[in-house]
Every structure is written in structure tokens, then in C-alpha cells.
């Protein structure tokens, strides 16, 4: 008996596919296109563990399926190799990130090829390749020239371990998302991308996408759209006002104090001398706290400024306080505090003995109270629901929903309010104080700064010679042309596009400084340069881009990866994009997925892209946990390496188990014994082909399977095959890979147990539906039964025969004296006479009836026929 030698088989067919370019996508094919994409990996030094390939194998199954359905499939792979993961590994090992990244990519690629993933490697990209990040820098300059990039000294999230700034999205539970270190605050000049300018567009597009609802909800919550009003509070004894955003204008009569965030620009201006030192001290203490701490702290703290504002509804003086429970980035960094109807305000008012006046009641007959008395309320907590207004002057007894609108209209007539929309979303801090990232293509020129600041920079029309900036204004100052970004950031000048890529200098010392400066700052020869605008001495920006930059647009580059004249050819973008099917982790909901949508929408508005959403369909895979139920981690010692499993069981057994172990979108623990079952399944199929009976049917068609010729059993097998084809087809499309595999296992068991032959053409159909899951194995058996030079993946996906799987076909049990002796597939509704005739032709029944006389026939329609004999 020939043995299933997976090591020999897998290498053989991997070489065949590569030489024949079986999986290479064809630009502008007449076949319908299908672009399926994995979130490309960070090539860390640890390589892949068994959790990583779950998504890769799933997309591979779908890619194979769609190819055989007649689609021109683009299924590429590349490397997200800049950023913290690669640099931290390099620092740990002492190997330069340029070298370690190259080594890690080679390891990842070898592992992926071992698994037999059908990527089009001719389109491979690497975010650290200067020919790639040239275009990342080019896109950044588009943002800059459009006025969507600004430089600002900000208190940013700082990771003491990684020694770099972090975006809000990279802080999880007060810790660095990458290394788990407690995050602190640090004030550093930063480049910031104005993602808030796209808040509404990012919301608008979500409902049209075929994404998991939880992911869409996470993005909606992160963007945090609120409809409300902007209300002005005049500061007593000052000429200026404090603007407050509120969603509950109906509660304004209950606003008994204002609270400013410690970072609010007016805090020190309005603070009276006797409170100044206390306020300054409080501001300094707040700088040490993270936003998450400020929001989670149970006990509220604050200080009085000594200043008062005028409540525009009651025209009464109310005190102005400073507290860190108000964040500077939401709304205006100031709130009107309504302690009776906001729990945080209630706790603050209780602590500092501030008035609490109820203005919304569920009881419409509640008597109004005197505003001039400092009410000692009986409330035990704030009531935050809807109701009717009380203690609200002319608006008493009005439903709160209606009052929200009416009060704003009333204040608007006085010039004290406007309807407004606010977002929780904050602009994206884009600078990183690291070496291993894309250099930011800007230089600082003192002469240009002076020139801009001393001029009114009159506009001279559209962008002229600067390509693709037709919608962006250009300003001319002393014969020098400046973009909007250069005007908004005086002194910062864009590197000319023809000088891109601005490459990372080769250095020996790349460890982060921890001072807030990038390691690039110490490379004098690289930093000092000439201003590309006026030729004066200038200095390069030394911060680098975040690790998310290259992944914001990588899906575009796959369609035209070798183009050195454009991001990608427009006709190729129109043919391939957007991505039809995207698979990756749910943890990227408000990081990569949000950023990629932002960049896509911006490039669409710049008329660079012909589409405005990157990924039409998204699915997330569940985590594969270690056998101990915990997340796999090298530090926990519970990582399982796929290389060892593939060497012992083969790539196809590994692929099958990854897809068979449970529902694709659910987390599940790895069972070390589970792969034995999928290996045995493959061995069983291999034996059917190589060790049982071959024969020739009466119609001269080759047969495979057992030694018996039983027409009824053969028909039953054929029906089972078509049911299996239907099940596998539907399950692949629904990503129910585990039940698809289970149905194929059932079919093989029935084929083996029947000891009956199956026509080769039918068995080939089975191999075709198995092929996406076990490609090497199916290719091998296909070539054993089909003498051909083509691949099984060039076959058409089999169609199932509806007449063979109709529900009208039922299984009729055949009994002798009440004991089951056989069964038969019949049409639903078969008559007793027809059932009797068919049953008596069955070999097993004839055997049991031999020498006996039928005394009675009991027939239960569509269930059984029982012969009572003696």
C-alpha cells in the first residue's frame, strides 16, 4: 500500500504552482475581478505561531474557490515592517533593524510558503522599501499642502519603555498597546493629521459597508457624533465669553457653575490673584495624569478660579471652576455644570457645596423653586433622563425634547447660542521619536518663517505646476510660492516631490533617546540642509511617521507595485479597487481600519483615487488561544510553532485543522490532538484512491471505491456527493469552514462504508471541493486519476444537481419483524406498492426473506416499511 508522503507531495506541488504561475493575477482580464486581502503582518523575530495563519488560510480557501468559479483573483501579500515591533526586536537583539527586518521577512515568507498559501508573490510589497515609502511621503505632502497637517506642542501619551509618543488609539487601559507599559504624559512638538475634518464623512460611509456591526459601532463610538448647541457664557468683569457645547440645552436653567479643563486657554487669564497659585499647582498636577485616569477617577477634584460667568438663561452669576474631569479635546474644553442632571457634576457639587437645582422632572406637577436660594436638594443622585421642565421660567412644563430646541432658538435670538454638532474624535498625532520609520519630508527654514509671518500672503490662484493640487490654494510672497500647509506652519517647507524618497540615513546608533528627540536629530550631516524654497540654511524634521502610515494605503500599491511614476496607474485602480473582501483582527477597528478609510477619502477628494471606501466587505477571525486558554505569548511559554506541526503532520492536515477547529469568528483554544483527526481524514481519502478497487462501469467510465456494484447504493452516494457540494459551496461563502470540512468527512465515511464504486468524474468533483482546504493533497490525487498538465485549480467549481438534493428524496427504513435490516432513498410520498417493490429488490432484504413467508406488511408513509414474516 502506497503511503501518503506529504513532505514529498507538498514540495512537488509548491514548485509546480510557482513555475506555472498558477496564482498570478491578470490585469484587465475579461473575467470578473475579485480582490481578497489579508491584513499584512508585522514581521517580528518570533515568526508565525499557529494563531496567525487562521485568517491567511481562510482567505486562501476563498481565493481558490473564487478562481474556480471563474474570477480573476488578486490575492497578494506584503510586509508592514516599519515601526515599534521591528525596532524593539532590533534593540533587543542588537541587530540593526534594516538587517533584522530583512531576516524576519524571509522567515515569514518561508513559513507562508510551507503552508501552501496561494499569494501572487510578484506583487509583494515592503513598507520599508524606499520605492514604497516614497509614495507614503508623497501622500503626507498632499495632506500638508491641503492644510490638514499642523505642528503643535502637545501633552501627548508617552511610553517610557518604547520612548516614543503614542496616539490615543494606541493606549489601552492606560497602558502602551505594544509593550504594556504604563503610559505617562510629555509635552513635545508634534505633527498632527486633521482627521477631525473627515469625521462626518467617516460616519456617512459606514452604513454602506458589509462589515461586522460591532466594528461599525466601535468606529461610530470613537468618532462620537453629538448634536447639540454651542452656548455663550459672558465672563463677569471681562469682555470675552466662554463657549460651551452641550447636548442638553433643556437643562440650562439648572446650570449652577462652569467647569474648565485645566488646559483651557482662558484659565489663567480669568483666575483672580488670590487663587492663581492654587490653580497653577492644579494645572501641573493634571499634566501627570492620563485622560483615562481623569475619566475613571471616582473622587472629583477641582479648584475655584475666583471668576464668575453669567448664565444666559437665568442672567445670574455662577462660579467658574477648574477640574480635570473635563477634557480639553471634547467640545470646547468647558462645560456648563448641571448637578441635578449629570452625575459627575452632581458628585462635584456635593463635594464643594455648590447649588443643585432640579429642572427636569418626571412629575409634571412638581412645584417650581426659587433660584435665588441655594437649594439643599433631597436628590441622592442625578436624574439624567427625559421629562418636563420645572424651575425654567417660560419653559416650565414643556417636554424636555421640545425644550432643547426651543431654548436654543430663544438664546439664538439674543446672539448667545447656535445649533452645533460635536465629535469625540481627536486629531491624529503623527510624529514618532524613533529611527525606524518613514522620514517626514519637511525642512525648517527660519528665513521662510520670517517671510511668511511678515506678509499677508495674498492668494495667486490655483496650484499651477504642482500636480494634483488643483483644489488647494497657493500663496505668493516675494516671488516665492507657498502652499496652505506652509502658510499654516510658518517656516516648515515641503521637500519637492522630485526629491522623494527622502531616505533614512544609515546609522549605527538607532536606540531612542528618551528626551523627546528622534535618534535622527544627532546626525548632523543629514539634519543640516538647504531650504528647497529659498536656498537658506535649513534643518530637516527628525521625527518619523507612525507604524500605521504605510498600512493606510498598501492595498492600493498591490495593483501596481512597480510603478515609479505614480501611486498606481488609474486604469488599474479602476479595474481592481476597492478591495472586495478584507480579513483581519477586530483589534484594528479604530486604528488601521479608521486611518485607512481617512486616507482613502482624502485621496478621493484630491481626485487621486476613483473610490472613497477601501474595503467593501470585512470579516474578523477569532483568536486561537494556547491550550491553557490564554493568549499565546513567548513570555508565557505557550506559543505553538506551525513549522513543527507541518513537519510532523503536513501542511494540508494543518490547514484543515485550522479551519475545522471551530467557528471562524470565535476564539478557540488549540487542541494538540486535534490535528491527528485531519491527518487521518487525508490518509483515509488517500487509501481510497491508492489501495481499494478500480474498475470500469458498464458505460465505460472509470470507477473508484469498493468492490460491490449496487445501483441503489451508488445512487445514494451520488446524492450524498451533490449534497456535499452544495453544503461546501454555501459554507465557504458563509465562512463556515468547520461545517464544510465536516460534510466532506461524512461523505468520505459513507464512500468507505458503502464498499461501493463511484465514478471517477464524481470523485474528481469531490477533490475539487477539497482542494481549497488541502491544495497539495488534492492536486496530487487529481493528477493520479487525471492525466493532465493543468492544475486542479484550473478546473471549474462543480455545480450540484438540484434534483438529487431535493427535500422530496427521503430515507425509507426497511424492517423485518420490526428490526432494521436496510434503508432506501425514495421519493417523498411513495406509495406502499412502490415501496414494497423497491424494498424486495434489496440484496440484504432478499437474504433475510429467504425461506420465509411474508404474513403482513406494515407501511408508515415516508418513514418505514416492515415485513412481518415467519
Amino acid at each position: 500500500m502506497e503511503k501518503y508522503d506529504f513532505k514529498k507531495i507538498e514540495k512537488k506541488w509548491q514548485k509546480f504552482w510557482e513555475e506555472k504561475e498558477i496564482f498570478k493575477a491578470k490585469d484587465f482580464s475579461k473575467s470578473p475581478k475579485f480582490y481578497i486581502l489579508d491584513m499584512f503582518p508585522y514581521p517580528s523575530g518570533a515568526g508565525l505561531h499557529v494563531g496567525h495563519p487562521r485568517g491567511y488560510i481562510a482567505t486562501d480557501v476563498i481565493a481558490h474557490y473564487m478562481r474556480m468559479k471563474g474570477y480573476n483573483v488578486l490575492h497578494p501579500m506584503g510586509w508592514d515592517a516599519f515601526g515599534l515591533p521591528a525596532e524593539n526586536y532590533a534593540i533587543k537583539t542588537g541587530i540593526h533593524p534594516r538587517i533584522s527586518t530583512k531576516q524576519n521577512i524571509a522567515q515569514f515568507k518561508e513559513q507562508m510558503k510551507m503552508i501552501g498559501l496561494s499569494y501572487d508573490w510578484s506583487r509583494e510589497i515592503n513598507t520599508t522599501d524606499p520605492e514604497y515609502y516614497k509614495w507614503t511621503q508623497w501622500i503626507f505632502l498632499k495632506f500638508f499642502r491641503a492644510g490638514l497637517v499642523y505642528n503643535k506642542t502637545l501633552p501627548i501619551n508617552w511610553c517610557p519603555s518604547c520612548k516614543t509618543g503614542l496616539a490615543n488609539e494606541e493606549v489601552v487601559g492606560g497602558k502602551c498597546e505594544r509593550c504594556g507599559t504604563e503610559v505617562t504624559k510629555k509635552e513635545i512638538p508634534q505633527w498632527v493629521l486633521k482627521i477631525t475634518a473627515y469625521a462626518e464623512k467617516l460616519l456617512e460611509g459606514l452604513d454602506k459597508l458589509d462589515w461586522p456591526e460591532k466594528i461599525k459601532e466601535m468606529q461610530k463610538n470613537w468618532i462620537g457624533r453629538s448634536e447639540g448647541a454651542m452656548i455663550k457664557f459672558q465672563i463677569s468683569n471681562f469682555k470675552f465669553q466662554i463657549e460651551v457645547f452641550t447636548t442638553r440645552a433643556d437643562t440650562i436653567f439648572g446650570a449652577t457653575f462652569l467647569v474648565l479643563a485645566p488646559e483651557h486657554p482662558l484659565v489663567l487669564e480669568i483666575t483672580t490673584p488670590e487663587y492663581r497659585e492654587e490653580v497653577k499647582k492644579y494645572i501641573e498636577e493634571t499634566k501627570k495624569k492620563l485622560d483615562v485616569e481623569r475619566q475613571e477617577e471616582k473622587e472629583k477634584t477641582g479648584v475655584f478660579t475666583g471668576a464668575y460667568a453669567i448664565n444666559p438663561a437665568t442672567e445670574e452669576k455662577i462660579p467658574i471652576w477648574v477640574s480635570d474631569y473635563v477634557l480639553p479635546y471634547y467640545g470646547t474644553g468647558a462645560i456648563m455644570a448641571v448637578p441635578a442632571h449629570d452625575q459627575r457634576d452632581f458628585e462635584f457639587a456635593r463635594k464643594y457645596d455648590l447649588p443643585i437645582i432640579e429642572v427636569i422632572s418626571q412629575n409634571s406637577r412638581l412645584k417650581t423653586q426659587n433660584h435665588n436660594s441655594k437649594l439643599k436638594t433631597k436628590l441622592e443622585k442625578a436624574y439624567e433622563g427625559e421629562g418636563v421642565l420645572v424651575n425654567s421660567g417660560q419653559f416650565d412644563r414643556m417636554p424636555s425634547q421640545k425644550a432643547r430646541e426651543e431654548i436654543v432658538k430663544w438664546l439664538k435670538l439674543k446672539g448667545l447660542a447656535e445649533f452645533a454638532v460635536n465629535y469625540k474624535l481627536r486629531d491624529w498625532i503623527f510624529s514618532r521619536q524613533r529611527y525606524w520609520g518613514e522620514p517626514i519630508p519637511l525642512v525648517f527654514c527660519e528665513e521662510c518663517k520670517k517671510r511668511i509671518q511678515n506678509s499677508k500672503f495674498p492668494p495667486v490662484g490655483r496650484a499651477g505646476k504642482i500636480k494634483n493640487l488643483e483644489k488647494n490654494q497657493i500663496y505668493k510672497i516675494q516671488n516665492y510660492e507657498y502652499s496652505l500647509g506652509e502658510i499654516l506652519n510658518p517656516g516648515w517647507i515641503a521637500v519637492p516631490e522630485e526629491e522623494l524618497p527622502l531616505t533614512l540615513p544609515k546609522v549605527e546608533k538607532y536606540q531612542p533617546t528618551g528626551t523627546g528627540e528622534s535618534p535622527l536629530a544627532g546626525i548632523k550631516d543629514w539634519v543640516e540642509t538647504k531650504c528647497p524654497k529659498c536656498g537658506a540654511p535649513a534643518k530637516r524634521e527628525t521625527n518619523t511617521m507612525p507604524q500605521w502610515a504605510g498600512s493606510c494605503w498598501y492595498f492600493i500599491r498591490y495593483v501596481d507595485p512597480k510603478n515609479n511614476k505614480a501611486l498606481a496607474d488609474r486604469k488599474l485602480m479602476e479595474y481592481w479597487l476597492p478591495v472586495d473582501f478584507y480579513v483581519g483582527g477586530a483589534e484594528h477597528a479604530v486604528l488601521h481600519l479608521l486611518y485607512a478609510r481617512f486616507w482613502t477619502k482624502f485621496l478621493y477628494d484630491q481626485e487621486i483615487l476613483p473610490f472613497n471606501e477601501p474595503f467593501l466587505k470585512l470579516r474578523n477571525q477569532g483568536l486561537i488561544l494556547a491550550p491553557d486558554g490564554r493568549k499565546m505569548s513567548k513570555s508565557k511559554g505557550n506559543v505553538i510553532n506551525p513549522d513543527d506541526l507541518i513537519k510532523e503532520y503536513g501542511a494540508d492536515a494543518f490547514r484543515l485543522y485550522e479551519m475545522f477547529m471551530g467557528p471562524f469568528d470565535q476564539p478557540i483554544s488549540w487542541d494538540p490532538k486535534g490535528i491527528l483527526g485531519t491527518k487521518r481524514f487525508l490518509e483515509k481519502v488517500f487509501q481510497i484512491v491508492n489501495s481499494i478497487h478500480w474498475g470500469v462501469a458498464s458505460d465505460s467510465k472509470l470507477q473508484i471505491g469498493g468492490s460491490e456494484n449496487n445501483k441503489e447504493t451508488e445512487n445514494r452516494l451520488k446524492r450524498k456527493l451533490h449534497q456535499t457540494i452544495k453544503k461546501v459551496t454555501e459554507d465557504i461563502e458563509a465562512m463556515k469552514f468547520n461545517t464544510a470540512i465536516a460534510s466532506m468527512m461524512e461523505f468520505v465515511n459513507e464512500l468507505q462504508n458503502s464498499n461501493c464504486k463511484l465514478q471517477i468524474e464524481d470523485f474528481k468533483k469531490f477533490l475539487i471541493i477539497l482542494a481549497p482546504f488541502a491544495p497539495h493533497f488534492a492536486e496530487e490525487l487529481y493528477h493520479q486519476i487525471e492525466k493532465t498538465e493543468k492544475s486542479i485549480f484550473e478546473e471549474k467549481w462543480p455545480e450540484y444537481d438540484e434534483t438529487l438534493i431535493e427535500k422530496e428524496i427521503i430515507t425509507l427504513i426497511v424492517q423485518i419483524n420490526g428490526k432494521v435490516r436496510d434503508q432506501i432513498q425514495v421519493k417523498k410520498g411513495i406509495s406502499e406498492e412502490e415501496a414494497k417493490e423497491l424494498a424486495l429488490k434489496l440484496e440484504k432484504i432478499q437474504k433475510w426473506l429467504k425461506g420465509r413467508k411474508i404474513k403482513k406488511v406494515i407501511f408508515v408513509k415516508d418513514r418505514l416499511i416492515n415485513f412481518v414474516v415467519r
Side-chain angles (χ1 to χ4, degrees):
M1 185 190 299
E2 187 178 346
K3 187 182 177 185
Y4 167 44
D5 185 352
F6 61 81
K7 290 181 181 177
K8 180 182 175 183
I9 287 170
E10 287 166 6
K11 286 181 181 177
K12 169 185 171 182
W13 293 114
Q14 285 169 12
K15 184 181 178 184
F16 173 84
W17 296 328
E18 192 170 342
E19 288 176 352
K20 297 273 188 179
E21 297 183 334
I22 299 295
F23 308 127
K24 192 170 182 179
K26 299 170 181 66
D27 294 335
F28 306 119
S29 166
K30 291 181 180 178
S31 300
K33 71 94 178 179
F34 184 73
Y35 184 176
I36 185 165
L37 184 63
D38 298 290
M39 292 183 185
F40 65 166
Y42 314 120
S44 66
L48 296 174
H49 63 61
V50 294
H52 294 120
R54 194 179 194 188
Y56 305 154
I57 296 168
T59 60
D60 205 53
V61 169
I62 296 167
H64 282 311
Y65 167 72
M66 294 301 285
R67 288 186 190 105
M68 290 192 279
K69 292 281 281 185
Y71 285 81
N72 179 27
V73 175
L74 174 55
H75 187 37
M77 178 49 72
W79 317 105
D80 191 11
F82 265 140
L84 289 176
E87 187 167 339
N88 286 345
Y89 176 78
I91 291 167
K92 183 180 177 181
T93 61
I95 304 169
H96 194 284
R98 200 182 303 274
I99 297 168
S100 62
T101 297
K102 188 175 180 180
Q103 292 172 344
N104 296 346
I105 287 172
Q107 182 186 7
F108 266 60
K109 190 171 180 179
E110 183 182 356
Q111 287 180 296
M112 287 179 174
K113 287 190 170 185
M114 280 176 67
I115 298 168
L117 300 170
S118 65
Y119 294 126
D120 180 353
W121 288 108
S122 70
R123 295 172 185 262
E124 180 182 3
I125 60 170
N126 178 347
T127 58
T128 68
D129 180 353
E131 290 307 308
Y132 178 89
Y133 70 72
K134 165 186 177 178
W135 298 104
T136 309
Q137 293 172 333
W138 182 84
I139 296 169
F140 173 84
L141 291 181
K142 296 297 179 196
F143 276 110
F144 181 74
R145 290 182 176 128
L148 292 174
V149 179
Y150 60 92
N151 190 272
K152 190 174 183 179
T153 298
L154 294 167
I156 64 159
N157 303 310
W158 179 263
C159 176
S161 174
C162 298
K163 297 179 182 176
T164 190
L166 303 172
N168 292 315
E169 296 88 339
E170 295 171 299
V171 180
V172 179
K175 295 181 179 180
C176 174
E177 184 240 8
R178 178 54 51 189
C179 71
T181 302
E182 291 283 343
V183 174
T184 61
K185 286 282 186 180
K186 198 179 186 82
E187 289 206 353
I188 298 175
Q190 296 288 325
W191 287 106
V192 186
L193 258 61
K194 201 169 183 182
I195 191 173
T196 52
Y198 276 75
E200 195 62 38
K201 288 184 178 181
L202 288 166
L203 276 175
E204 285 171 0
L206 276 173
D207 290 335
K208 300 172 186 175
L209 299 175
D210 182 5
W211 286 21
E213 283 304 317
K214 65 177 182 179
I215 300 295
K216 293 200 277 190
E217 201 58 35
M218 286 170 75
Q219 287 209 2
K220 286 177 184 177
N221 292 338
W222 191 261
I223 295 165
R225 187 182 193 274
S226 301
E227 291 186 7
M230 200 68 76
I231 299 176
K232 296 175 182 177
F233 287 74
Q234 182 65 46
I235 305 173
S236 183
N237 299 322
F238 285 89
K239 289 183 179 180
F240 43 81
Q241 301 164 320
I242 291 175
E243 283 197 320
V244 168
F245 174 80
T246 179
T247 60
R248 295 297 303 265
D250 52 316
T251 66
I252 193 168
F253 284 86
T256 57
F257 57 101
L258 290 189
V259 186
L260 306 187
E263 298 89 347
H264 196 289
L266 291 181
V267 168
L268 291 177
E269 277 197 62
I270 65 171
T271 300
T272 57
E274 63 268 34
Y275 293 99
R276 185 170 291 274
E277 286 307 311
E278 192 179 357
V279 169
K280 279 185 175 179
K281 183 181 176 183
Y282 189 81
I283 291 171
E284 289 305 311
E285 288 172 355
T286 303
K287 288 178 180 177
K288 300 171 187 175
K289 294 182 181 180
L290 296 175
D291 291 353
V292 67
E293 292 177 78
R294 291 166 63 171
Q295 290 175 296
E296 290 176 355
E297 276 183 344
K298 291 182 179 178
E299 187 175 354
K300 303 292 179 283
T301 62
V303 289
F304 180 44
T305 64
Y308 291 84
I310 307 299
N311 183 322
T314 65
E315 297 184 353
E316 293 177 4
K317 272 187 174 184
I318 57 175
I320 303 172
W321 284 68
V322 175
S323 176
D324 61 12
Y325 81 86
V326 178
L327 298 175
Y329 315 105
Y330 183 72
T332 63
I335 65 160
M336 64 176 206
V338 185
H341 304 292
D342 183 284
Q343 190 60 29
R344 294 181 310 165
D345 298 346
F346 179 82
E347 292 165 8
F348 193 88
R350 273 281 182 91
K351 181 174 180 178
Y352 294 105
D353 196 28
L354 294 164
I356 301 173
I357 299 175
E358 189 174 8
V359 293
I360 304 287
S361 175
Q362 291 175 293
N363 182 357
S364 61
R365 289 176 289 183
L366 188 73
K367 290 182 179 179
T368 61
Q369 295 146 347
N370 184 358
H371 273 295
N372 294 321
S373 64
K374 290 193 175 181
L375 177 72
K376 297 293 182 182
T377 182
K378 294 179 182 178
L379 292 173
E380 292 300 319
K381 64 177 183 177
Y383 171 65
E384 297 179 336
E386 301 289 354
V388 295
L389 269 63
V390 294
N391 300 314
S392 299
Q394 69 200 65
F395 300 99
D396 278 354
R397 300 187 184 279
M398 186 179 286
S400 52
Q401 294 100 321
K402 184 180 179 183
R404 275 201 282 283
E405 187 173 346
E406 294 302 317
I407 287 173
V408 175
K409 288 179 181 176
W410 175 60
L411 292 175
K412 188 175 181 180
L413 292 173
K414 300 180 179 184
L416 295 173
E418 290 287 345
F419 290 103
V421 174
N422 191 67
Y423 302 92
K424 281 198 301 185
L425 181 68
R426 287 162 55 182
D427 285 335
W428 177 11
I429 295 173
F430 202 69
S431 303
R432 296 295 180 271
Q433 295 70 42
R434 304 289 295 231
Y435 166 73
W436 194 238
E438 300 91 341
I440 294 175
L442 298 173
V443 303
F444 185 78
C445 172
E446 195 64 48
E447 290 301 313
C448 284
K449 179 181 178 181
K450 292 175 187 174
R451 191 176 295 118
I452 291 168
Q453 289 181 333
N454 293 333
S455 172
K456 292 182 180 179
F457 41 84
V460 295
R462 298 199 179 269
K465 295 179 182 178
I466 302 177
K467 193 176 180 182
N468 291 329
L469 284 180
E470 289 80 10
K471 291 185 177 179
N472 296 330
Q473 199 76 288
I474 292 296
Y475 300 91
K476 195 168 186 178
I477 304 171
Q478 298 175 14
N479 295 321
Y480 295 105
E481 289 188 349
Y482 293 95
S483 69
L484 181 58
E486 290 163 336
I487 294 297
L488 295 175
N489 301 280
W492 287 103
I493 306 299
V495 171
E497 288 180 13
E498 58 270 21
E499 292 183 19
L500 299 179
L502 173 61
T503 55
L504 269 178
K506 293 181 180 179
V507 297
E508 292 183 13
K509 186 180 178 183
Y510 48 83
Q511 287 77 7
T513 62
T515 63
E517 280 193 309
S518 159
L520 293 174
I523 308 169
K524 187 177 178 181
D525 292 345
W526 187 81
V527 173
E528 293 183 355
T529 184
K530 297 282 187 182
C531 173
K533 193 75 68 176
C534 69
K539 289 187 176 181
R540 296 192 188 281
E541 170 58 68
T542 57
N543 283 338
T544 52
M545 297 186 196
Q547 68 197 59
W548 309 103
S551 64
C552 284
W553 71 280
Y554 78 110
F555 56 94
I556 301 168
R557 192 63 175 174
Y558 282 131
V559 311
D560 197 10
K562 306 293 190 295
N563 194 328
N564 60 9
K565 293 182 179 178
L567 197 69
D569 179 79
R570 190 171 183 90
K571 288 183 179 178
L572 283 170
M573 290 194 288
E574 288 171 350
Y575 176 77
W576 282 115
L577 291 162
V579 175
D580 296 291
F581 203 152
Y582 198 34
V583 175
E587 67 273 16
H588 296 297
V590 294
L591 288 160
H592 159 64
L593 288 171
L594 188 66
Y595 295 157
R597 293 184 64 230
F598 169 41
W599 280 40
T600 299
K601 288 178 179 296
F602 168 73
L603 292 171
Y604 173 79
D605 287 347
Q606 292 287 305
E607 299 180 1
I608 295 165
L609 299 184
F611 58 96
N612 66 0
E613 283 289 352
F615 317 117
L616 297 181
K617 182 176 181 177
L618 171 74
R619 292 295 180 268
N620 306 124
Q621 76 268 26
L623 284 176
I624 293 182
L625 305 170
D628 58 13
R630 296 186 298 168
K631 193 173 179 179
M632 288 190 196
S633 164
K634 200 172 181 181
S635 62
K636 295 172 187 170
N638 61 0
V639 171
I640 298 172
N641 190 316
D643 301 21
D644 300 333
L645 294 167
I646 290 169
K647 285 172 187 172
E648 187 173 353
Y649 301 103
D652 288 326
F654 174 75
R655 288 172 63 110
L656 278 167
Y657 180 58
E658 287 260 337
M659 296 295 94
F660 184 59
M661 61 193 301
F664 177 70
D665 61 347
Q666 299 299 313
I668 192 165
S669 296
W670 183 269
D671 179 0
K673 296 178 182 177
I675 196 170
L676 289 168
T678 54
K679 185 171 187 284
R680 281 196 291 265
F681 165 66
L682 293 176
E683 287 171 341
K684 188 185 291 186
V685 179
F686 194 82
Q687 287 167 10
I688 288 172
V689 175
N690 286 277
S691 64
I692 308 183
H693 294 78
W694 289 71
V696 180
S698 58
D699 56 2
S700 300
K701 289 184 178 179
L702 280 171
Q703 294 179 314
I704 191 169
S707 57
E708 293 187 10
N709 284 303
N710 183 315
K711 193 65 180 174
E712 180 54 39
T713 308
E714 287 177 24
N715 288 340
R716 187 171 74 244
L717 273 176
K718 196 175 185 75
R719 278 192 292 273
K720 184 64 176 175
L721 172 65
H722 282 262
Q723 289 166 358
T724 306
I725 292 169
K726 182 178 188 288
K727 178 69 174 165
V728 172
T729 300
E730 291 172 350
D731 282 355
I732 288 176
E733 293 189 355
M735 300 189 85
K736 295 179 178 178
F737 306 113
N738 56 328
T739 53
I741 294 167
S743 68
M744 288 188 281
M745 289 177 170
E746 287 176 18
F747 171 74
V748 169
N749 286 340
E750 189 152 339
L751 174 60
Q752 189 179 52
N753 294 337
S754 71
N755 197 28
C756 190
K757 296 188 187 309
L758 183 72
Q759 289 187 1
I760 290 293
E761 280 302 308
D762 285 334
F763 190 75
K764 191 170 79 173
K765 289 175 183 176
F766 170 73
L767 289 179
I768 291 170
I769 64 172
L770 176 63
F773 299 89
H776 315 85
F777 179 85
E779 189 81 85
E780 175 69 17
L781 294 192
Y782 170 76
H783 281 263
Q784 284 189 22
I785 65 174
E786 186 86 6
K787 303 306 176 187
T788 178
E789 292 296 313
K790 71 178 184 180
S791 167
I792 191 172
F793 296 108
E794 294 174 273
E795 288 279 1
K796 286 184 179 179
W797 188 261
E799 294 183 0
Y800 50 86
D801 187 338
E802 287 282 0
T803 62
L804 292 176
I805 58 171
E806 287 175 351
K807 291 180 181 177
E808 283 72 22
I809 303 296
I810 55 105
T811 300
L812 189 74
I813 303 297
V814 183
Q815 296 178 335
I816 305 288
N817 290 341
K819 292 185 178 181
V820 177
R821 297 305 182 189
D822 207 346
Q823 59 186 29
I824 184 172
Q825 301 288 310
V826 298
K827 288 182 180 180
K828 189 175 181 181
I830 190 171
S831 69
E832 182 177 342
E833 283 305 311
E834 288 175 309
K836 182 179 176 181
E837 185 181 347
L838 289 171
L840 291 174
K841 289 180 181 178
L842 296 173
E843 289 180 22
K844 288 182 181 178
I845 299 304
Q846 288 174 358
K847 173 185 163 187
W848 282 101
L849 290 175
K850 193 174 182 180
R852 296 183 178 189
K853 188 175 181 181
I854 299 172
K855 295 286 292 178
K856 186 179 180 183
V857 177
I858 300 170
F859 178 67
V860 181
K861 193 170 185 178
D862 292 339
R863 288 187 62 192
L864 62 85
I865 186 166
N866 179 24
F867 296 103
V868 180
V869 302
R870 70 174 182 179

